[in-house]
Amino acid sequence: MMTTLLRIPVDGKVIQWAIDNGEKNDEDLLKKYSINKWKNAKNKSDYPTFNQLQGFSRDTKIPFRYLIKSSIPEENNDFVKYRTVNNSDVLPSRKLVDTIHQMESRQAWMKQYLLEQKTNHKFDLLNQLSVNIDPISASSNVIDILNLSSVYQSFMTDDDFFSLLKNRISDYGVLVMQNGIVGSNTQRPLNVDEFRAFVLIDDIVPLIFINSKDSKTAKIFSLIHEFIHILLGNNEILNVSPDVDVKDERWINTVTINVLMPKERVLKIVNWNDSPEDNVRKLSRKFHTSILATSIRTVELNIFSQKIVDWAQVEQKNALANKKSSSGGNFYNNAVSRVDLNFANAVISDEATGNMPLSTAADMLGVSLKTYQKTVNKILGLE
């Protein structure tokens, strides 16, 4: 007896929307699927089978439930209006959309968890700053909040400084997450050209997400930059680099660079017997800023001329051209670095007490069931 294939009626406009907003290019999809038949179906046999539509969903990264709608899905992507991309009319990629949805889900769970522990829990630093404050005064406030004065006197690597900032911001109750891929899917890398970081404001538990595909110094800049947005009480998706001047971000960029490179600290380190180039290299290492951002700061402070910026632009371009790709590192170290430790400990506690299924806990930490326990041991310092 011949088996009748289950065909799924689809709307041609929805299929085209999925192609336009998905991650697979038109050419590949047209080769693999009978797209034109689906869009202009004359009878039931022209529609995709269930398995074909599932495959199309996987390839485009568009949720299956969207594909069976009779009209184009309206996604509530409120965050798009906070973008600071130079061409802010460009639609966000599915990678960005999915990453933000995942972070919103984690934030919502953590908020509920905290309120169950303490019903009047509040994040105290929201709206601590105002753009009406002088940027220098604002940067002093941020330095005090993060207790950075003593840090300027010591030397540490960029990785150590990023970890210090991450931990201190997290200690205030901000979830600090980072990743270079969507969830745990290594086939879906995040694009630094689209976004470097974003912040989701909440009066209980704000969240900062850092694109870990970015350079070490850019991640440091982004982390402070987004923390300042929290102190202002503003949502934002950061696309600009610390070397780019975007009108709406000028005040925050000024505060950020003053936090990283306070004028009096910079002047103490400049050695007039050294060349401008050697000074910039030394300042860059000391303050965990890129060669280009450092050179721009020295010009702002009237230390060196514009020539040093021209040199830095060439130097940074050459460094990017010669940059070697990362090996990927240790799986468990990566897994731990991606999640905020307060969030991770809350998930582990909820799972251990039987309030959360093991599969959900693994998903929340971005790992598989197979790697969950070893990840937990790593987080808890048991190995």
Side-chain angles (χ1 to χ4, degrees):
M1 184 176 176
M2 187 178 291
T3 303
T4 303
L5 290 172
L6 174 62
R7 298 279 175 174
I8 310 294
V10 292
D11 185 281
K13 290 193 274 309
V14 172
I15 294 299
Q16 188 57 52
W17 175 87
I19 293 170
D20 294 340
N21 289 272
E23 290 185 18
K24 201 89 164 175
N25 66 55
D26 303 24
E27 195 176 322
D28 289 343
L29 291 170
L30 286 167
K31 284 180 182 177
K32 190 171 181 180
Y33 304 104
S34 302
I35 302 292
N36 290 327
K37 273 190 176 183
W38 297 0
K39 289 166 61 178
N40 304 287
K42 292 182 172 57
N43 51 59
K44 286 184 179 180
S45 63
D46 289 337
Y47 287 124
T49 65
F50 182 82
N51 287 341
Q52 286 171 341
L53 201 59
Q54 272 195 325
F56 182 78
S57 173
R58 282 193 297 271
D59 285 341
T60 57
K61 301 300 184 292
I62 299 293
F64 184 86
R65 67 183 185 277
Y66 286 8
L67 302 176
I68 57 177
K69 288 179 176 288
S70 58
S71 58
I72 293 174
E74 291 185 14
E75 293 187 298
N76 185 24
N77 294 334
D78 289 341
F79 55 84
V80 174
K81 66 187 176 187
Y82 302 119
R83 301 187 78 191
T84 58
V85 191
N86 294 337
N87 51 346
S88 58
D89 290 335
V90 174
L91 286 172
S93 70
R94 292 310 305 179
K95 294 174 184 177
L96 175 54
V97 170
D98 291 350
T99 298
I100 292 185
H101 285 168
Q102 184 186 55
M103 292 305 116
E104 286 175 330
S105 175
R106 288 182 176 182
Q107 182 184 46
W109 179 84
M110 190 66 175
K111 181 175 182 174
Q112 186 60 37
Y113 177 85
L114 291 172
L115 290 174
E116 286 173 0
Q117 308 296 312
K118 183 181 176 184
T119 53
N120 61 344
H121 185 95
K122 282 282 182 185
F123 178 73
D124 296 329
L125 295 179
L126 216 57
N127 303 311
Q128 286 287 306
L129 291 183
S130 164
V131 291
N132 297 320
I133 300 174
D134 171 66
I136 307 299
S137 300
S139 67
S140 296
N141 291 341
V142 177
I143 289 168
D144 289 342
I145 290 169
L146 294 176
N147 192 21
L148 294 178
S149 292
S150 58
V151 176
Y152 296 125
Q153 299 167 23
S154 59
F155 180 84
M156 59 180 70
T157 65
D158 291 340
D159 285 330
D160 288 341
F161 186 57
F162 179 81
S163 294
L164 179 144
L165 288 172
K166 183 173 178 243
N167 292 337
R168 289 190 179 178
I169 291 171
S170 179
D171 285 345
Y172 278 111
V174 179
L175 297 183
V176 183
M177 308 283 192
Q178 63 170 333
N179 208 341
I181 57 178
V182 180
S184 56
N185 189 342
T186 56
Q187 301 303 308
R188 300 182 72 194
L190 300 178
N191 187 353
V192 172
D193 289 334
E194 179 177 29
F195 80 103
R196 294 173 177 271
F198 60 78
V199 60
L200 300 173
I201 298 298
D202 187 81
D203 59 357
I204 305 296
V205 56
L207 182 147
I208 293 173
F209 180 90
I210 303 293
N211 185 344
S212 58
K213 286 288 185 185
D214 218 345
S215 68
K216 292 176 183 179
T217 54
K219 283 168 56 181
I220 288 167
F221 185 95
S222 292
L223 184 54
I224 295 175
H225 182 111
E226 301 300 64
F227 183 60
I228 292 168
H229 267 284
I230 290 175
L231 299 179
L232 289 169
N234 294 338
N235 281 300
E236 187 231 23
I237 298 177
L238 177 67
N239 174 268
V240 295
S241 76
D243 319 317
V244 176
D245 185 27
V246 173
K247 185 179 179 182
D248 293 341
E249 294 289 291
R250 197 170 297 153
W251 186 88
I252 298 174
N253 280 351
T254 302
V255 176
T256 304
I257 201 64
N258 274 280
V259 170
L260 285 169
M261 298 185 70
K263 179 179 179 179
E264 68 279 4
R265 302 280 180 178
V266 173
L267 293 175
K268 281 182 181 178
I269 291 175
V270 171
N271 186 334
W272 299 107
N273 294 319
D274 292 338
S275 68
E277 293 81 3
D278 284 344
N279 268 296
V280 166
R281 288 190 185 98
K282 181 167 62 176
L283 290 168
S284 173
R285 289 193 298 271
K286 172 65 180 174
F287 294 110
H288 314 286
T289 48
S290 71
I291 290 287
L292 185 52
T294 305
S295 67
I296 291 171
R297 181 63 171 154
T298 62
V299 173
E300 288 174 352
L301 297 177
N302 297 314
I303 297 172
F304 301 125
S305 71
Q306 181 64 29
K307 284 183 179 179
I308 194 65
V309 176
D310 299 336
W311 166 82
Q313 286 174 330
V314 174
E315 192 80 359
Q316 189 152 300
K317 186 177 179 181
N318 291 337
L320 287 171
N322 297 323
K323 185 181 178 182
K324 294 179 181 178
S325 59
S326 170
S327 62
N330 176 276
F331 172 84
Y332 293 99
N333 288 340
N334 287 341
V336 173
S337 73
R338 288 171 182 164
V339 293
D340 180 90
L341 286 184
N342 289 330
F343 172 83
N345 285 322
V347 169
I348 292 166
S349 173
D350 226 32
E351 187 276 319
T353 54
N355 293 323
M356 178 184 288
L358 185 62
S359 58
T360 303
D363 185 59
M364 294 281 266
L365 296 185
V367 296
S368 65
L369 283 171
K370 184 180 177 181
T371 57
Y372 176 75
Q373 194 53 56
K374 194 167 181 180
T375 303
V376 168
N377 291 344
K378 189 84 175 175
I379 289 168
L380 298 179
L382 300 178
E383 59 174 59

